[in-house]
Amino acid sequence: MAKRKICVVVTARPSYSRIKTALTAIKKHPDLELQLVIAGSALLDRYGNAVDYIKKDGFNIDAKVFMVLEGENKTSMAKTTGLGVMELATVFYNLNPDAVVTIADRFETIATSIAAAYQNIPLIHIQGGEVTGNIDEKVRHANTKLADIHLVASNDAEARLLKMGEDADYIFNTGCPSIDIASEVKKSPELGFNPIEKYGGVGKDIDWEKGYLVVMQHPVTTEYDEARLHVTTTLKVVHELGIPTFWFWPNVDAGADGTSNGIRSYREIHQPENIHFFKNMIPEDFLRLLVNSRCLVGNSSVGIRECVFLGVPVVNIGTRQNGRARGENVIDVSYDSEAIKKGINNRLKNSDVINKSTIYGEGNSGEKIANILADVKLRFHKTISY
């Protein structure tokens, strides 16, 4: 029998770590053929060009889709998605996959879903059924309704898809593939490299070896006009605390210009001696940086997923992760400077009593996903179950 062609679309830097171990398992599976499409901000250097890391990991890229319009505002998000539908429709027509995989909830992932579903190509959605803030909340559930097969990351997500009327026979709780990477890091957590020497970045050469923070703060699309104010508030707090800090650049979302400009402006005016800035790291290095940190600050989903598995203290700021299942490692605070400072101090004082959790998987998701993709009956038509 011919191998089943599985086309996976990666549209952003963080999406790669969310799917990497599944890509490896698909590639190795005797009954599957991996077709890999890289699109969106994953192709752009200003957002940490994921292509270089993907190639180094041994993956062949079958197609590249340049679809990001400049502007980083609400209108450019809509136009980027529309361009993505057009371009991905052609890619799927040419590759002729047996199934297409779309990942999670980033705004542009709906383009993958539309381009596949409208061409009667079975659509597989990874990490549906979760609750978040941001435009991601709408996009995730829209992907769910377009998808034919669901590979969820938690019991909570599985229960929610059943309430949404999805067919129980096509919902599989696989856990999150990013936990697979965290599981490997957990076995050898030592930070065996100098982050500044290996990745460069910009800012002062901080004295990080006696303890450091990691900050990853993205804009919230539903609070687009406040992106610069939000990131400046966090910058001031981290600067005033004086703790050595590794700070990572934001995702390409509406408001990313405000976040990026806020970082650049603050850096140029105040030249904080305790903060060093990066665009990207390979997933394994980033998680080792996290597991050896004193605390993660910001609003990244890595604080909700990987950090709960690794037991990393997290201060989650604002609304971006609202409603998502979280562990005891996370403390939620508002955008207020005093609340952020109090939250960081709380996590630093109580870091030794944080319990780890496997709510997002136990470290074998990639193989589970590949086996399901090889065996599941593919379909491109469904009806609501009630």
Side-chain angles (χ1 to χ4, degrees), residues 21-233:
T21 63
L23 295 178
T24 300
I26 293 168
K27 182 181 176 182
K28 291 180 178 179
H29 199 287
D31 298 326
L32 299 176
E33 176 186 335
L34 174 64
Q35 295 176 325
L36 183 57
V37 177
I38 307 300
S41 62
L43 293 167
L44 303 181
D45 182 67
R46 66 188 293 191
Y47 297 105
N49 194 339
V51 170
D52 295 337
Y53 301 118
I54 292 169
K55 287 181 176 178
K56 285 180 182 177
D57 287 335
F59 295 109
N60 177 62
I61 298 172
D62 293 275
K64 296 179 182 179
V65 177
F66 293 91
M67 56 190 258
V68 176
L69 269 67
E70 287 290 335
E72 295 166 323
N73 56 44
K74 292 172 285 187
T75 303
S76 66
M77 281 173 57
K79 290 185 175 182
T80 291
T81 303
L83 183 58
V85 173
M86 294 177 64
E87 295 294 319
L88 287 166
T90 301
V91 168
F92 298 157
Y93 176 82
N94 291 331
L95 291 178
N96 191 29
D98 294 303
V100 166
V101 175
T102 191
I103 305 164
D105 62 355
R106 282 194 50 78
F107 75 88
E108 73 279 355
T109 61
I110 194 71
T112 302
S113 299
I114 293 171
Y118 281 30
Q119 296 185 84
N120 288 345
I121 302 170
L123 179 66
I124 298 155
H125 184 211
I126 289 183
Q127 295 166 22
E130 297 175 29
V131 176
T132 56
N134 216 11
I135 188 64
D136 302 353
E137 168 74 3
K138 292 182 177 181
V139 170
R140 188 189 300 268
H141 303 319
N143 281 335
T144 288
K145 299 317 291 184
L146 286 167
D148 305 290
I149 299 163
H150 310 279
L151 307 177
V152 301
S154 68
N155 293 329
D156 180 63
E158 181 178 8
R160 192 167 288 110
L161 289 195
L162 291 170
K163 291 179 181 178
M164 290 173 68
E166 296 302 307
D167 187 340
D169 291 339
Y170 287 89
I171 303 172
F172 304 91
N173 186 353
T174 64
C176 180
S178 64
I179 301 300
D180 300 0
I181 301 174
S183 180
E184 292 303 310
V185 166
K186 197 174 182 180
K187 295 172 185 175
S188 54
E190 301 79 16
L191 190 65
F193 65 96
N194 183 317
I196 297 174
E197 288 180 0
K198 186 169 182 178
Y199 289 97
V202 295
K204 300 293 184 179
D205 189 2
I206 61 176
D207 182 16
W208 55 272
E209 295 187 71
K210 295 179 182 178
Y212 58 87
L213 304 178
V214 176
V215 178
M216 182 175 280
Q217 185 162 328
H218 304 298
V220 178
T221 58
T222 51
E223 300 162 0
Y224 160 78
D225 295 330
E226 300 172 87
R228 181 164 181 158
L229 173 63
H230 289 167
V231 78
T232 301
T233 300

Side-chain angles (χ1 to χ4, degrees), residues 266-305:
Y266 193 92
R267 193 181 70 216
E268 291 170 4
I269 294 171
H270 300 282
Q271 298 184 11
E273 296 187 356
N274 64 312
I275 307 176
H276 195 88
F277 300 87
F278 294 109
K279 286 184 180 178
N280 197 12
M281 285 185 182
I282 64 171
E284 293 82 355
D285 283 354
F286 178 60
L287 291 184
R288 286 193 173 88
L289 192 75
L290 277 179
V291 79
N292 286 282
S293 72
R294 299 182 67 188
C295 181
L296 171 67
V297 179
N299 59 10
S300 171
S301 62
V302 72
I304 307 296
R305 292 179 183 274

Side-chain angles (χ1 to χ4, degrees), residues 296-330:
L296 171 67
V297 179
N299 59 10
S300 171
S301 62
V302 72
I304 307 296
R305 292 179 183 274
E306 290 94 325
C307 285
V308 71
F309 183 83
L310 294 169
V312 177
V314 174
V315 176
N316 180 65
I317 303 172
T319 61
R320 194 170 188 268
Q321 303 300 333
N322 274 3
R324 180 169 274 172
R326 66 247 285 128
E328 296 177 9
N329 64 313
V330 177

